[in-house]
Amino acid sequence: MNILLRNLTLIDGTGGPPQMDAIVAIRDGKILYAGSESGWSSVREEDITLDLEGKFVLPGLIDAHVHLAGSGEADSQFEAEDEAMALKILSNAQKNLAAGITTVRDLGGWNEIEFVVRESIQRGEFAGPRMCLAGRFISITEAGAEYYKGMYRVADGVDEVRKAVREQVMHGADLIKIGVTGAVLVEHGEPGATHFNQEEIHALVEEARKFNRHVAAHAHGADGIRKALRAGVHTIEHGTFLYQDPAAIQFMKEHGIYLIPTLKVGWDVILSENLDIPAWIREKNKATQNEAARSLKLAYEAGVPIAMGSDVGTPLNFHGENGLEIYWMGQAGMSAMDAIVAATGNAAHALGWDAWLGTLEAGKVADLIVVDSNPLEDLRVLADKTHLQFVMKQGQVAACHAGGDLPSHILAKDLLFIQ
Ligand SMILES: [Zn+2]
């Protein structure tokens, strides 16, 4: 029995032009075919057919930078008892899925609880997105480590750094996250300052490579970015001051190193009228936001691969609103299509999961979203749940609006409602 989504406009996540009158054929959780109606001849009596006239179908969105342990609290002090944290992580994970984010890459969890939550989702006990997990954020001794106790793993010196990597791998991490520079969201943190020494970063990347793990480098300052690139990291997170170093931009292009710019977090704080936000958070974001947008624009124009990461979980940056990052990427100069690719095909590539995820092509996993308006005309469609019709994960409807009239046998047993 095949599921046929027909009569739709297909935006397949490869960057190719949208195809009207397209069909997506799904079987056993995978895509059999996605393309023009004329290329699919085997419509059969027993197939489940959904007529999606006027709708747009895209791959499920992939957010390559989230923090499931945070819920957007104003002061980002999101400490909780482990039991409460497990529920919080699950709830945040489900908000992503119900908003069309079918895959998240968590770059700093809490007391390893996100691994437990992932296991129960994988066992089918709860609904939730696919998770690519880094475990703890590996950092030098600094203010942030006190501020985000359950998220950080402090490691000073080459031996400690290697041990910290081994611990994350032991817990089940898919990749390693390193804080190469200071942070914006740490009160006395200096985002431009380089934290780890070159030999420590080298040791971390070497250790991760032994276990075949990618390394994501939190790096704002140009010196830290350079050191991270020299050591062989796979993604630069934030990259705020990247514009200061054209050679680093060139290196990223030549070696296919991803920039994951995380613009939404700054705009949320700057544009919000929430007075609970500590003044220092607002001031630090104001100081760096234009630089971050400029770095993205220059990197994009130079041909550096870009992936979408919203940093949801940070202050006023709420799970389920991740899609706004795509809009902000467009505002910073990316074409609407390239911003969509950053959140689909490119994001899957940045995770190293592109062989089976991220685009709507034959053989890939059937993770997709259906929206009722053209996101190429206004990227905010991807962040507005009133436009989201339903979310499919692995060929089953994982989220839809209450009272929708979808056939019951394509609904997941733990169906979520889009709210
Ligand atoms: Zn982050």
Side-chain angles (χ1 to χ4, degrees), residues 279-297:
W280 64 265
I281 290 189
R282 206 183 297 270
E283 290 315 309
K284 283 179 90 175
N285 277 288
K286 273 188 188 157
T288 53
Q289 193 63 11
N290 288 333
E291 291 172 288
R294 186 169 165 204
S295 289
L296 168 56
K297 185 168 190 290

Side-chain angles (χ1 to χ4, degrees), residues 172-223:
D174 303 284
L175 79 156
I176 302 299
K177 165 83 174 285
I178 177 175
V180 172
T181 72
V184 175
L185 292 173
V186 172
E187 185 163 9
H188 302 295
E190 194 49 69
T194 306
H195 279 181
F196 279 107
N197 298 326
Q198 186 72 69
E199 62 269 25
E200 291 169 315
I201 311 171
H202 261 298
L204 180 135
V205 174
E206 194 179 77
E207 199 65 27
R209 198 173 284 143
K210 267 195 213 165
F211 300 104
N212 210 12
R213 299 304 200 273
H214 281 191
V215 175
H218 160 111
H220 292 285
D223 177 68

Side-chain angles (χ1 to χ4, degrees), residues 223-237:
D223 177 68
I225 292 170
R226 266 194 300 277
K227 287 195 166 80
L229 293 174
R230 218 175 280 145
V233 305
H234 300 82
T235 60
I236 296 290
E237 311 294 318

Side-chain angles (χ1 to χ4, degrees), residues 65-67 107-108 137 151 177 218 237-238 262 311-312 314:
H65 190 137
V66 307
H67 297 280
L107 292 187
F137 180 122
M151 184 189 290
K177 165 83 174 285
H218 160 111
E237 311 294 318
H238 317 300
T262 69
D311 219 352
V312 285
T314 53

